[in-house]
């Protein structure tokens, strides 16, 4: 969906994925299971004023107990869970309001809520089970919390700049705190070890940090809304090299394959850029990626690295999906490689489907051929031409057949509905329950994406809701989509006064511009008339200057001498 931002966070054991979805009425966190963990999928919704500032997974310890029948159980968050269940982490959510919410994925509820008089700017895992560390910028203090306590356990002062927005535990008792600069802080000694200043051309705040697999004293840090990745050494306190991506870096991951360390960067272009042995390189020049993994169907939102392979995370309309990639070794890829992320039947959320994403041109060893990029036609011109070429259908039975035939082709379906919205009421009654349900979902998604034909599509949605309302409320997916549309319309209503005010100003400027153009046009006509009059006056003056004028009868003409037959004759009065 357009204008929707997604940030993904994988738990330490690679079992659960938390995706923060915001934009166009979406303010929520989706929690999905990567591996088969009771097919968990849940959603946390927030109010419009509750913006998610930071999300971290916090490992939770377990205490075993024995039941009446002798079966072993363990307690997690005050609730007993069967021994067969997998260990899992809790999700800690920092809001801009200063509150920390602790969410239990298996129980699908908020288990604790911590309020702070002075809001924190960032949080991270504290190093021991059930521990959270946060930074208070107003008081320049580090605060340590327990997952199930509402008050901080410990507080320590630290002198750093006020705009610290990122914190991460690197090694035992070593923290990285960052704004645009990177600070290494030793918690045990209570002092800053060193500060790595940000490059002059890249002053954006740090957004993510990962460690090298081969050497945990080397880190890679990406910046928000920036194309670069900085490789830094925690021993020397200096930047060793800078990597440059084709798009803004959204997430980072590190893996190792056949002795080659791979740094994976997912960008806002929906591609995965692959850097080989990036931590070992030292260069003053910015280094480009060795390979690019992309898809023609959906853009990558994130990539999950597993012991046995890789999974692609992508956004399909309003659902977040995870799909296994049929690539055994990313280190063998070169150039641009295209994969197919199209959904397959029977794969509910893409996490455990038997059919994974295939690589175009890939062989059995995972190597793939390089694909070339093709130019794209302007979508606006294409939509307009398609709408103009769409026929107006007067027979609603014929229109019904055309709509049913193009339910899977949205590029044709949208202009078909728009061009023939005049007979939408009569056509609606012909749809079967399944056809009406599918059409409603398509129209709601088009309206949520701010379609320029919303007025015409709204007519179809109106009659479908009136005709098939009792059916639509029984479908959970349709209800979720209608909630999405309601949120989008509510946000648009909030913007309406500003838009009306802006429209008034634009109308005033347009009237002033029109008046100015009329005045300029009038002045041009007057100038042309004056030039014409001056030209006529000059022509008359030229005619007068070229003629002979006699002033009276007494005027004498000079003697005229005429030669006749070579004889000179004098003409006397």
């Amino acid at each position: 969906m357009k204008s929707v931002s997604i940030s993904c966070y994988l738990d330490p054991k690679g079992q659960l994925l938390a995706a923060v979805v915001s934009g166009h009425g979406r303010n929520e966190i989706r929690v999905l299971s990567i591996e088969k963990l009771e097919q968990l999928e849940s959603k946390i919704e927030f109010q419009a004023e509750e913006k998610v500032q930071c999300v971290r997974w916090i490992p939770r310890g377990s205490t075993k107990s024995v039941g009446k029948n002798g079966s072993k159980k363990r307690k997690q968050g005050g609730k007993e869970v069967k021994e067969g269940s997998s260990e899992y982490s809790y999700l800690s959510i920092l809001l801009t309001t200063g509150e920390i919410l602790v969410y239990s994925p298996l129980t699908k509820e908020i288990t604790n809520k911590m309020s702070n008089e002075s809001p924190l700017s960032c949080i991270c895992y504290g190093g021991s089970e059930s521990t959270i560390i946060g930074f208070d910028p107003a008081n320049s203090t580090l605060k340590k919390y327990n997952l199930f306590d509402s008050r901080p356990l410990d507080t320590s002062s630290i002198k750093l700049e006020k705009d610290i927005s990122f914190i991460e535990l690197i090694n035992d008792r070593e923290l990285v705190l960052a704004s645009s600069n990177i600070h290494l802080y030793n918690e045990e000694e209570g002092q800053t070890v060193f500060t790595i200043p940000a490059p002059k051309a890249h002053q954006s705040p740090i957004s993510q940090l990962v460690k090298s697999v081969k050497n945990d004293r080397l880190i890679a840090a990406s910046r928000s809304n920036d194309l670069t990745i900085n490789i830094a050494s925690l021993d020397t306190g200096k930047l060793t090299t800078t990597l440059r991506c084709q798009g803004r870096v959204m997430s980072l991951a590190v893996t190792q394959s056949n002795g080659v360390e791979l740094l994976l960067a997912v960008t806002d272009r929906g591609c995965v850029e692959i850097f080989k042995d990036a931590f070992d390189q030292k260069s003053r020049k910015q280094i480009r990626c060795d390979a690019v993994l992309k898809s023609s169907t959906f853009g990558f939102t994130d990539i999950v690295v597993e012991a046995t392979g890789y999974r692609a995370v992508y956004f399909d309309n309003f659902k977040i999906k995870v799909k296994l990639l049929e690539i055994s070794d990313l280190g063998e890829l070169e150039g641009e490689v295209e994969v197919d992320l199209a959904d397959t039947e029977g794969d509910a959320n893409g996490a455990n489907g038997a059919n994974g994403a295939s690589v175009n041109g890939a062989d059995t060893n995972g190597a793939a051929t390089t694909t070339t990029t093709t130019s794209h036609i302007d979508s606006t011109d294409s939509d307009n031409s398609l709408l103009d070429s769409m026929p107006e259908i007067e027979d609603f039975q014929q229109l019904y057949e055309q709509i049913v035939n193009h339910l899977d082709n949205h590029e044709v379906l949208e202009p078909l509905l728009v061009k023939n919205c005049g007979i939408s009421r009569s056509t609606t009654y012909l749809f079967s329950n399944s056809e009406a349900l599918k059409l409603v979902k398509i129209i709601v998604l088009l309206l949520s994406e701010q379609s320029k034909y919303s007025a015409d599509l709204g007519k179809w949605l109106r009659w479908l809701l009136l005709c098939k309302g009792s059916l639509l409320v029984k479908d959970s997916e349709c209800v979720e989509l209608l909630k999405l549309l309601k949120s989008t319309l509510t946000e648009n209503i909030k913007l309406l006064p500003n838009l009306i005010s802006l429209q008034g100003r634009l109308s005033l400027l347009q009237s002033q511009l029109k008046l100015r153009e009329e005045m300029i046009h009038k002045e041009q006509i007057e100038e042309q008339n004056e030039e014409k009059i001056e030209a006529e006056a000059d022509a008359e003056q030229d005619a007068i200057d070229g003629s002979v004028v006699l002033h009276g009868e007494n005027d004498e003409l000079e003697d005229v001498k005429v030669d006749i037959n070579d004889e000179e004759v004098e003409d006397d009065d």
Side-chain angles (χ1 to χ4, degrees), residues 511-527:
S511 60
Q512 291 177 347
L513 181 62
K514 185 177 180 180
L515 178 62
R516 184 176 297 177
E517 290 177 350
E518 290 177 355
M519 293 177 62
I520 293 174
H521 182 64
K522 185 177 180 181
E523 290 177 358
Q524 290 177 349
I525 293 176
E526 291 177 354
E527 289 179 0

Side-chain angles (χ1 to χ4, degrees), residues 84 92 252 275 531:
S92 59
L252 295 174
F275 298 86
E531 290 177 357

Side-chain angles (χ1 to χ4, degrees), residues 472-483:
L472 301 178
V473 295
K474 296 177 182 178
D475 187 86
S476 59
E477 183 178 351
C478 187
V479 172
E480 290 293 331
L481 280 172
L482 290 173
K483 287 182 180 178

Side-chain angles (χ1 to χ4, degrees), residues 39-196:
Q39 290 297 320
L40 183 144
E41 182 173 358
S42 57
K43 180 174 64 172
I44 314 170
E45 294 183 310
F46 301 96
Q47 300 297 325
E49 64 275 7
E50 295 178 329
K51 299 298 182 182
V52 177
Q53 184 164 334
C54 186
V55 173
R56 290 291 185 271
W57 287 99
I58 309 299
R60 164 65 176 158
S62 61
T63 57
K64 296 181 180 180
S65 62
V66 181
K68 293 181 179 181
N69 57 358
S71 61
K72 291 184 178 180
K73 297 181 180 180
R74 71 173 185 274
K75 292 182 179 179
Q76 290 188 334
K79 295 190 176 183
E80 290 187 346
V81 184
K82 291 182 180 180
E83 178 63 25
S85 301
S86 301
E87 295 284 350
Y88 67 98
S89 300
Y90 279 70
L91 188 66
S92 59
I93 306 163
L94 175 63
L95 303 178
T96 53
T97 56
E99 297 174 332
I100 301 177
L101 305 180
V102 178
Y103 179 76
S104 173
L106 292 188
T107 58
K108 300 183 180 181
E109 61 183 15
I110 301 297
T111 59
N112 191 21
K113 184 176 182 180
M114 311 172 196
S115 299
N116 294 282
E117 296 180 358
S118 180
L120 306 179
S121 60
C122 49
I123 57 175
C124 75
Y125 171 52
S128 57
E129 291 179 342
S130 309
T131 306
I132 305 173
I133 293 180
F135 181 74
D136 180 358
N139 301 310
S140 295
T141 57
L142 283 175
K143 294 182 178 180
K144 186 172 290 187
Y145 301 82
N146 185 276
L147 279 176
F148 307 106
D149 293 335
S150 58
R151 296 182 179 180
L153 302 176
D154 186 25
T155 301
S156 58
S157 299
I158 175 173
K159 294 182 180 180
L160 290 175
E161 57 260 28
K162 300 290 185 180
D163 57 344
I164 295 293
S165 58
F166 179 86
I167 182 173
E168 192 72 47
L169 182 72
I170 294 298
N171 296 305
D172 186 27
R173 308 304 296 270
E174 282 187 332
L175 289 170
V176 166
L177 296 100
S179 51
S180 56
N181 304 321
I182 300 175
H183 308 276
L184 181 65
Y185 178 77
N186 190 305
E187 188 183 3
E188 185 175 7
E189 297 177 0
Q191 63 180 8
T192 303
V193 181
F194 58 74
T195 297
I196 304 176

